[in-house]
Every structure is written in C-alpha cells, then in structure tokens.
Amino acid sequence: MRKVFRNLKSLEEVKDLIMRYERAERREKISIWDAFGRILAEDIVSGVDVPGFDRVMLDGYAVRAEDTFWADEDNPVELKVIGVASAGHPFPGEVGEREAVEVATGAPMPRGANSVVKEEFTVRKGDSILVMRAVAPGENVQGAGSDVRVGETVAYRGTRLSAREIGILAAVGIREVEVLSKPRVGIFSTGDELAQPGEPLEYGKIYDVNSSSLMASVLEDGGEPKFLGILPDDYEAIRDSLKREIEKFDIILISGSTSVGAGDVMYRVLEELGPPGVIVHGIAMHPGKPTVIAEARGKLVIGLPGYPTSCLTVYREIVSPLIRKWSGKPLETGKEVIGRAAERIIGERGRRDLLPVHVVKDEEYLVFPVPTGSEAISTLSRADGYVEMEELEEIIEEGEVVRVKLFTDRIADISMIGSHCIGLELIMSEMRRRGYLIKSVFVGSSGGFKAIARGEADLAGVHAFDPETMEYNLPFMRKFSIEDKAILIRGYRRIQGLIVARGNPKGIKGIRDILERRDIVMMNRNKGSGTRILLDYLLKEEAERMGIDISEAIKNIRGYWNEAKSHNAVAIAIKNGIADVGIGIKTVARLYNLDFIPIAEENYDFLIRRSSMRKGAVEEFLRILREFRSKLNELDGIEASDDIGLPISP
Ligand SMILES: Nc1nc2c(c(=O)[nH]1)N[C@H]1C(S)=C(S)[C@@H](COP(=O)(O)OP(=O)(O)OC[C@H]3O[C@@H](n4cnc5c(N)ncnc54)[C@H](O)[C@@H]3O)O[C@H]1N2
Ligand code: MOO
C-alpha cells in the first residue's frame, strides 16, 4: 500500500521530541593518553601532594635566610658552599650556620636551608659565595603540597577532558580514568543502486555517500559510529537487520527509502518495529520532509531521506544535538554572518526552509541561493551556509538583510564562477598551495558573464564566440552590459574539435559528416555555452558551402537536440556509447582517452570584476597566470602567448 505523508510535524516539535530521549549510561576505563575530549565518569581525588617535597624554584644557593638578613652590595655575606642538589638529586647532608648548597631549579630543598638566593645575586669565590642581597624565609621555595594536596578533588565527574585537566591528572599520578562510553550509533544505507566506494560502478549505480558522511558527522559529535552495511530495497531484509542490530546500539540511522514511492518501505518497516513504532512521519521542512522517526524498545531509529544533502541536513538539525547531548559535547552554536540577499529568494509557506547559500565578500556580504537542490551532492560543499526561512515567511526580497548560519569558519578569498578548464584547475591548485581558499562553481561561459554581472563572482573563465564579429568574449561584455563592471584578461587558446570513440570506429572526418550522415548520433551542448555557439556557426558555414539550408539540415541531424551541460558530459556520452560524436576541447578528449579531430581554436579568457581587482587573491591569480605560461603550454590542447594575464578590454 502506498503511503502519503500525514500530519507533518514542525522542526521545533521534532527537536523537542527527540531531545527527551536518554541512553543507558555505560562507562569504560581508558588511559589518560586516550582521554582527550572524553567525559569523566568519576571524581578524581589526589592521592599525593604536589609537589611532594619543598622544591627549589630557581637556580642559585639554598641558604638559611637568617644568615643573609643584613647582606647588601656593600656588605656581602660570605657563605661556605658545602655541596650540590639538582632536580631528582637531593643533597644528602644538612645546611648549617653560614653554609650554602648550590641548587638547580626543581631540586628538593636541602635539610636545614629555608630559602634560595638567586644565582645572579651571588659571586662565587672558590668554595664559598658572596651573597649580595637578603632573602626572606621561604623565598624562591615552592612548599610541599602547595599546588595540590592529598584528598583534594582535581577533576569532577562530567568534565570534558582537555589538555589542562589531563595535565592535572598526570601531575597526581593518575594513569587511567573512568569515562562515559561514547553513544553507539549504528548506520545503514538502503538502496539497490548503491555501491561501496572503492568497488567498480556498474551502469545505473551510484556510490553510497550517506554512510560515510554520517560516520564523519557522528565522530564529530563525539559518538561512536558503526557502519552496518547497505541494505537492499527489501522489506524483510530491512526489518530483520534493524531488529537484529537495535539491541546493540543507542540509536540507529538508516537513510533512503523514506519517501512515498513504491520502493520506499521505511515507513512500513519502522511501524512494524513498534509499539509505538513510527512517532514522526514527515517534517514540515525542506530539505528533509520525508524523514521518518520510530521508537523501538525505548530506542530511536531515524529514517533519513536518501538524497545526501537532505540526509545531512536532517542529521545536522535533529540528530546532531541529541548525539552531542549524549556525548557531553557542547551544542554547536555555529558562526553567523549578516549579509544582503543578492536576489529574490522564494520559500514555501507552512514549512521551514533551510536554504543553502553562497556568500561573497564584497563591501558587504552578498548572499546568493545555491542553484542546485538536495538532489546534488555538491550543493552542500558549494554552500557556505544556509538561510533559514520561517514557516510564515515566503519571500526574501533582493537587498533584504539576511542572517546566514555558516558551515565553514572562513568565507572564500575568491569566488570563481564560469566555464571549467583544466588550465584553470592548474592555476587554482597553485593558489590553494599558496594558502588561498577558492570557491569554484562551473556553469559555463554565459553563466560566468551573468555571475559577474550579478556580483556573485570575482572571476569567470569564459570562451564565448560571437559569429557576427568573429570575436571571442569581448562582444559579450556589451551584451551583458558589464563594460563598466568588469575587465577582460587574456587567457590562452584551446583546441576545439570533434570527440569520437577510441579508434574512431565510424570513420568521422569532420563537420560535414554530422550534416550528411544518418548513421551517426551526435551529442550537442547546452544553448548559451560557448561551444554550442561555435558548433552552430561551424554547421551553418558548412551548410552554406554545401549549398543546403541549415534549418532543414538540422532536422536531419540525429541527436542535435541532445544537450550535454559540459565538455565532460559530452565525453561521457561518447564513452558510454550514447552518442558517436560531439564537440569539445582536446584536453577533455585526452582525459577520457577518446579520439579527437581538431577543427578550431578558441580563446579562453578571464573576466574579472573591477571591484575585485584590489583583492589579494585576484592579484595573486594574475601573478600565477603569468608565471605559469610555460606550464600551461605543456598541457595538450592549450596554447598560451606572452600576452597572457594582460587586459584585453579597456
Ligand atoms: N513522489 C514523490 N517523490 C519524492 C518525494 C515526494 O514527496 N513525493 N520526496 C522527494 C524528496 S523531498 C526526497 S528528499 C527524496 C527522498 O527519497 P528517499 O528517502 O525515499 O530515498 P531514495 O528514494 O531511496 O533515494 C533518493 C535519491 O538519493 C539517492 N541515495 C539514496 N541513498 C543514498 C546514499 N546512501 N548515497 C548516495 N545517494 C543516495 C538515491 O539513489 C536516489 O537518487 O525523494 C523525493 N521523491
Ligand atoms: O525534502 Mo527532500 O528532503 O529535499 O529534498
């Protein structure tokens, strides 16, 4: 039976509900060397005095203070040096009247002496010294037990052990301590499509992301995660595994199969684990709506949505606080910045929206929604944080002040949005090596122009061809009205051509084959991409040469309406046999080990916002670009001239 979501609970209700759960307390004895970050389960009472003896606090001479009372520079007192004591080596005898023992810092005070004269206030004369200054009894001596006394409690139950506490435990001779065991968290993934990272990937399968990201999150929260495996989309298998494992863990997290599709069995299984079974079926929030929560044998089983971004968001919002409560870690309060919405943001009434955003440091923080949704694993890694939209809030207007809860503690030094290129990767990796934090998002050339126009990017790699002027990039500065806002910087040339399968089994020779032959299927690029414009131009030019009408000819090209969104996507289509030919750059053809037929050169340049030119990271980018000219030239399919890094536009 299919199940629809009923009675969605609000995020607040769900948090309150979950935080009421306790776990059975277990303890374990561990070495203080492993105790960092653990919660002490007992009071620690010192069995020793620290120090255990009167201890010399500085290098000098142990004396009887009364012998020095009238000493000064003009009337020094002469004392006889009768021996030596150092740390770990006491003086065996006793200091008598007008006698002294040479002592080092940390030595036990010799019997008979009661203070120490600093070496600097003495003059050595053979086996005696002249004391130039009086000392008071007890001066420069750390009394026995003055630091810690026998019977004193040095660390309390419930304390999170840090270097300071662990240092005190060591000082009182404690080698092992009893700590609270970490909360045990069992983790399952579900889905017939999932494979473990490291295994080969069959067509149609994907790697299991959630178990790894959940494991890491649980560790971060002080829990002890255990991966229990990938379960098939099978009612009995999931039920039996949950029943078997729930005994052994404080809580179980299981991702996938939560939604309403026919294969999504989580609700039914969790209901059967009861009573009470399912206690939450759906949360009025996005992402994360299909979350299912059940109680079985007093323990929680949390069914997290399959989409990695949704899964991690739900974990962070509702599971993390519980694991932290149990493990004694303070709740993450998280850093925030106040910024301004750079565009209108639309939420949905009646649900809490946690909207991943990208933050750009300009004169103020500009906040942009991340365009991809919870289906993309890159959404969270691309976002700097999120903006929370309350249940009653529907729209955030452009320019409105917003509060961003940050995932990171550092906003990127430079934001690069535009077309991807391995030449650019080379420059970026050098920048990273030099300590810059880069945000890079690849959305094609026109996406780059738009991001520069909006102020979302400091820099964009672009290669947009204008058939009217036969020029690259420059004409588009006019089209996007950014001549005042941005500067175009010379990059390098890339070789564009036809990408075909290894060995070119269809014997494709050039553009004409695409127009003429009915036995080949092409993969086109998305409209707006520089490569698409180039291809359309090349097809038109060839059609004119052949004396045919291009709009008619296009109808006969098989696959003309297939749009790949990147050079890589074209290569992947050819590698997978989805298409026979596509247009792309040589570097990508090489990357996928495919054959390549060169047909044109294009300019790949860099568009930089004028206001970003002052940023240190942008200056460094331009420096590296020039320094790396010969390294770029070593890449197959890239040619850089000596005007690289210089402005093209006025
Ligand atoms: N008709 C409807 N369809 C969907 C709804 C809905 O309300 N009505 N909700 C959507 C929302 S929102 C989400 S979130 C997902 C939740 O899906 P499930 O929890 O049922 O998860 P699956 O269908 O098993 O997987 C979704 C998606 O994520 C991939 N996945 C699953 N597990 C993993 C993993 N461990 N690592 C990486 N990727 C994983 C899976 O292959 C699917 O592509 O449902 C929407 N649908
Ligand atoms: O509500 Mo689902 O959890 O995004 O994408």
Side-chain angles (χ1 to χ4, degrees):
M1 186 195 65
R2 287 206 175 195
K3 185 90 194 171
V4 290
F5 297 110
R6 291 204 191 88
N7 305 324
L8 295 184
K9 281 199 165 47
S10 75
L11 179 57
E12 255 61 49
E13 276 177 283
V14 175
K15 279 187 189 168
D16 287 349
L17 185 73
I18 282 208
M19 289 303 274
R20 283 191 230 132
Y21 281 80
E22 298 296 341
R23 59 145 178 158
E25 188 184 301
R26 291 178 312 273
R27 301 159 164 226
E28 61 196 46
K29 239 191 169 40
I30 59 168
S31 154
I32 56 168
W33 286 1
D34 299 322
F36 174 77
R38 301 298 297 270
I39 306 298
L40 207 51
E42 53 178 354
D43 288 343
I44 301 289
V45 175
S46 178
V48 297
D49 288 314
V50 182
F53 51 91
D54 290 336
R55 185 164 67 162
V56 171
M57 279 162 65
L58 42 75
D59 295 341
Y61 292 90
V63 300
R64 293 158 16 112
E66 55 272 34
D67 289 343
T68 69
F69 282 168
W70 291 274
D72 62 23
E73 302 264 339
D74 298 328
N75 300 295
V77 171
E78 184 165 350
L79 303 178
K80 186 163 192 287
V81 179
I82 57 164
V84 178
S86 60
H89 301 284
F91 172 69
E94 184 171 344
V95 176
E97 204 176 326
R98 295 205 158 245
E99 285 179 346
V101 165
E102 187 184 341
V103 289
T105 306
M109 277 296 281
R111 199 179 142 86
N114 58 14
S115 56
V116 175
V117 187
K118 209 176 187 178
E119 162 134 35
E120 292 87 323
F121 301 135
T122 63
V123 176
R124 184 82 188 223
K125 264 178 60 185
D127 57 4
S128 57
I129 48 165
L130 296 178
V131 177
M132 305 294 185
R133 191 181 279 197
V135 280
E139 198 169 326
N140 300 327
V141 178
Q142 185 188 23
S146 63
D147 203 351
V148 181
R149 273 157 295 275
V150 172
E152 189 175 326
T153 305
V154 290
Y156 292 89
R157 186 191 140 79
T159 305
R160 244 174 95 69
L161 295 171
S162 73
R164 292 194 313 274
E165 289 83 27
I166 290 174
I168 290 196
L169 296 179
V172 302
I174 300 283
R175 197 188 172 84
E176 287 189 321
V177 281
E178 200 156 68
V179 294
L180 296 184
S181 298
K182 295 180 180 180
R184 290 193 199 133
V185 184
I187 297 173
F188 283 112
S189 287
T190 65
D192 296 338
E193 76 282 22
L194 299 180
Q196 290 267 33
E199 288 173 1
L201 206 57
E202 286 166 42
Y203 186 73
K205 294 213 166 193
I206 57 168
Y207 286 120
D208 172 16
V209 173
N210 296 344
S211 58
S212 307
S213 57
L214 289 173
M215 296 274 285
S217 306
V218 168
L219 283 174
E220 199 181 337
D221 290 336
E224 188 175 284
K226 180 156 190 221
F227 176 50
L228 301 173
I230 296 173
L231 300 176
D233 287 316
D234 175 79
Y235 185 88
E236 271 94 33
I238 297 178
R239 180 196 58 199
D240 296 347
S241 305
L242 283 175
K243 282 193 168 163
R244 191 177 59 244
E245 299 292 349
I246 196 158
E247 283 301 332
K248 306 176 201 158
F249 294 89
D250 296 312
I251 185 170
I252 292 212
L253 309 179
I254 177 164
S255 71
S257 303
T258 60
S259 200
V260 292
D264 300 320
V265 294
M266 200 54 61
Y267 175 84
R268 287 183 293 133
V269 172
L270 294 190
E271 187 67 9
E272 200 194 311
L273 286 182
V278 171
I279 54 173
V280 174
H281 186 207
I283 308 179
M285 83 171 189
H286 179 81
K289 175 182 157 201
T291 306
V292 191
I293 302 175
E295 182 191 320
R297 302 178 215 192
K299 293 178 180 175
L300 286 171
V301 179
I302 312 232
L304 300 151
Y307 280 146
T309 291
S310 311
C311 174
L312 217 48
T313 303
V314 173
Y315 178 87
R316 212 185 44 234
E317 288 296 315
I318 65 171
V319 186
S320 166
L322 181 67
I323 306 290
R324 282 182 175 255
K325 180 182 107 172
W326 285 351
S327 73
K329 268 208 163 178
L331 284 189
E332 281 260 74
T333 43
K335 282 185 60 165
E336 297 181 344
V337 291
I338 303 293
R340 234 171 242 292
E343 53 193 63
R344 198 171 207 231
I345 301 175
I346 308 212
E348 195 172 293
R349 206 180 178 77
R351 75 175 188 200
R352 182 77 56 95
D353 279 293
L354 306 176
L355 200 88
V357 293
H358 158 51
V359 180
V360 179
K361 212 178 338 181
D362 205 26
E363 260 108 61
E364 54 189 347
Y365 289 109
L366 294 177
V367 179
F368 297 86
V370 172
T372 48
S374 45
E375 73 290 347
I377 175 65
S378 52
T379 298
L380 278 190
S381 55
R382 174 182 293 194
D384 299 296
Y386 62 96
V387 168
E388 229 176 308
M389 285 178 85
E390 297 288 329
E391 285 77 354
L392 294 175
E393 213 177 348
E394 256 179 52
I395 291 176
I396 296 174
E397 293 295 348
E398 177 182 337
E400 218 175 282
V401 171
V402 288
R403 181 188 300 274
V404 180
K405 300 195 172 162
L406 294 178
F407 299 138
T408 51
D409 38 16
R410 186 172 158 200
I411 300 285
D413 301 307
I414 183 168
S415 155
M416 302 188 184
I417 304 179
S419 168
H420 179 258
C421 180
I422 60 164
L424 175 59
E425 287 286 1
L426 185 72
I427 309 290
M428 290 199 300
S429 83
E430 177 62 16
M431 287 191 74
R432 291 198 175 98
R433 213 182 56 76
R434 296 187 188 182
Y436 289 94
L437 185 67
I438 303 176
K439 163 76 72 69
S440 57
V441 182
F442 298 113
V443 291
S445 292
S446 51
F449 278 99
K450 285 180 202 151
I452 290 283
R454 280 197 305 269
E456 188 177 355
D458 297 306
L459 188 151
V462 289
H463 59 109
F465 174 65
D466 175 32
E468 281 162 36
T469 56
M470 302 287 285
E471 259 187 293
Y472 269 92
N473 302 327
L474 207 50
F476 291 87
M477 296 189 65
R478 267 188 305 281
K479 288 189 186 161
F480 285 92
S481 319
I482 51 170
E483 293 127 305
D484 299 339
K485 272 193 194 155
I487 300 177
L488 190 64
I489 300 287
R490 173 63 72 215
Y492 38 78
R493 290 180 304 286
R494 304 196 302 186
I495 305 184
Q496 284 272 22
L498 299 181
I499 300 177
V500 295
R502 186 109 195 110
N504 195 2
K506 293 259 164 117
I508 294 163
K509 290 195 261 334
I511 294 287
R512 185 171 288 231
D513 290 312
I514 299 179
L515 281 165
E516 262 176 4
R517 287 172 56 179
R518 299 290 157 263
D519 64 328
I520 57 179
V521 177
M522 77 167 293
M523 176 55 76
N524 207 340
R525 282 293 308 277
N526 51 315
K527 283 185 218 68
S529 66
T531 306
R532 170 66 172 262
I533 300 172
L534 176 66
L535 178 72
D536 280 342
Y537 170 76
L538 293 170
L539 286 170
K540 187 160 156 270
E541 204 190 26
E542 189 65 32
E544 276 164 16
R545 261 200 289 277
M546 293 164 67
I548 57 176
D549 174 36
I550 183 64
S551 37
E552 277 308 306
I554 280 172
K555 290 186 190 152
N556 293 323
I557 299 176
R558 290 175 65 197
Y560 181 83
W561 301 108
N562 296 340
E563 293 193 0
K565 288 213 178 94
S566 65
H567 289 277
N568 295 58
V570 171
I572 291 167
I574 289 158
K575 190 111 203 161
N576 284 338
I578 304 278
D580 304 307
V581 63
I583 184 166
I585 49 175
K586 188 174 179 187
T587 47
V588 169
R590 290 286 171 268
L591 192 64
Y592 288 87
N593 201 17
L594 295 164
D595 278 14
F596 183 76
I597 304 153
I599 43 176
E601 270 194 354
E602 65 170 11
N603 291 340
Y604 185 90
D605 298 320
F606 299 102
L607 198 58
I608 301 181
R609 263 179 84 81
R610 284 183 197 272
S611 61
S612 306
M613 287 297 281
R614 304 189 289 274
K615 285 192 177 179
V618 170
E619 289 171 354
E620 189 76 15
F621 176 89
L622 291 172
R623 242 187 324 268
I624 297 173
L625 193 61
R626 291 192 60 78
E627 275 172 34
F628 270 46
R629 185 189 154 198
S630 59
K631 286 212 171 77
L632 287 164
N633 272 322
E634 282 165 24
L635 297 172
D636 198 7
I638 287 186
E639 286 166 14
S641 318
D642 63 4
D643 59 352
I644 185 170
L646 300 181
I648 307 173
S649 67

